[in-house]
Amino acid sequence: MTRTLSDGARILQGERTWWFLGPGGGLARLRDTQLTAEGGLKAATENRLRELGMYTTTLPRAYELTVLTSTNCNLGCGYCFQNTAQDLTGGARPPRIARTRLTSRTITDILDFTRRQMAAAELEKMNILLFGGEPLLNPRGCLELLERAADHGLGHARMISNATLLKPRLAAQLAERGLRSVQITFDGDRPDHDRIRIGRADGSGTFDTIVRNVVRASEVSELRWQLRVNVSQETYLGVDALIDRLADTLDPARCSLYFAQVGDVGIGYGNDLLHTGELSARFSGWQRRALELGFAVARPRAYRPCVTCGYGDGRYGAVVSADGTLASCWETAGKDEWEVGSVTAGYLPSEVTRERWVGCEDLYRHDEDQRTLAAFRDSVDAALLDYLDLTGRL
């Protein structure tokens, strides 16, 4: 039995103990006697956890800005939420959102907008996420944005990229301008990946190119790597081999691994994997293997609002498409029907944005109810905490 409390705190049932995850980021062990029969906290237990600061939250310390430097992409992944439909020919060119490209003029508008938002939130620092499409289809835009953001309180920057265009010289230039980490996706081991994550121009595989670019970029920069592994009915059997292959090729000490099930955003892509006990055991096994090999694995947390889409009208963060239009979340960026404003005019009236404000994963469709999904996540997270505890990593 697991339980999520109204304030985002979570109670997970481990093998030998209960785990409490507080909204303030704290972790505590609980005994059966500290819980009610319904699985909630007894009053004395909750009071003690509050005294320990487990419920104490802080406001964001930096403005979180996501910028799409290019909405175009050089890959043709069938599940991408920026596709507008499937490729009916079965090829590598599903129709996508309209192409736009970040320019110097739009960078000026974005930074002016961000300065106003930061002042309203009384923030002096900003963090930037370079996003796309594929952001490196516009390397000049990436470099210029980072360089000019330095005069506006840039704290750190990260990027989500497919890494097929990340050459050593460019990686060094980005790192010099404040880029600290890059998120890259793998679709299972090489055979599955090269069948799914393919070049848009010719349908070619990309696995070896990505790994080679990460290795070479690591030689000329201090970049860290967040490796996302997409899990679907087409990839899950190869994940064990993928983890070992990545450990043999990359430096695990500079990498984190996380595993994410591919969802359906209503464009005809289906994932037949159900959130069963067998699948949760696989996720737990992958996390343990990653830790054994020296990769970092993110610890479970309480549920807290996303800094970008969890607050109205860009209070602490914003998503800006390459043409300067605003979206509530990167999942709707570049889609006209979900536009919530622009960096020049600001956010649209609340009665308009209220109908268009989408949060993380709101667009994903699942064949199972929310209770099943929550139980799956809780099972995986409890097993990870048990393992961290058993191996002295907590």
Side-chain angles (χ1 to χ4, degrees), residues 4-25:
T4 301
L5 307 182
S6 59
D7 47 24
R10 300 170 68 194
I11 303 173
L12 309 179
Q13 185 175 17
E15 289 187 3
R16 300 179 181 84
T17 190
W18 293 83
W19 299 105
F20 173 84
L21 300 172

Side-chain angles (χ1 to χ4, degrees), residues 60 63-66 129 158 305-320 327-330 347 357-360:
Y63 196 80
E64 300 292 337
L65 177 66
T66 297
L129 170 63
R158 57 194 180 97
C306 171
V307 175
T308 303
C309 59
Y311 298 88
D313 293 351
R315 188 183 311 168
Y316 300 117
V319 176
V320 188
S328 65
C329 180
W330 63 32
Y347 285 91
W357 203 269
V358 171
C360 298

Side-chain angles (χ1 to χ4, degrees), residues 36-159:
T36 65
E38 294 77 26
L41 296 173
K42 289 185 176 179
T45 304
E46 181 176 341
N47 290 339
R48 179 56 178 158
L49 291 171
R50 290 187 182 278
E51 290 173 359
L52 293 172
M54 297 287 183
Y55 283 86
T56 303
T57 60
T58 58
L59 294 176
R61 298 179 180 178
Y63 196 80
E64 300 292 337
L65 177 66
T66 297
V67 180
L68 283 70
T69 62
S70 170
T71 60
N72 192 20
C73 189
N74 59 328
L75 300 191
C77 309
Y79 51 74
C80 181
F81 55 72
Q82 291 179 341
N83 295 342
T84 57
Q86 293 289 295
D87 184 340
L88 297 181
T89 69
R93 298 184 181 181
R96 289 178 46 82
I97 58 176
R99 294 187 181 186
T100 54
R101 183 181 177 89
L102 186 67
T103 65
S104 296
R105 175 59 184 272
T106 306
I107 290 174
T108 298
D109 293 337
I110 290 173
L111 293 176
D112 288 345
F113 162 84
T114 305
R115 186 178 63 250
R116 296 192 298 271
Q117 295 294 108
M118 291 168 62
E122 299 182 342
L123 296 172
E124 297 181 352
K125 293 287 185 181
M126 76 166 78
N127 298 325
I128 289 180
L129 170 63
L130 300 174
F131 194 64
E134 170 48 48
L136 295 184
L137 283 171
N138 185 6
R140 181 178 299 178
C142 294
L143 293 169
E144 182 180 345
L145 175 62
L146 295 181
E147 187 168 346
R148 294 176 61 184
D151 295 329
H152 295 262
L154 178 63
H156 70 264
R158 57 194 180 97
M159 177 171 64

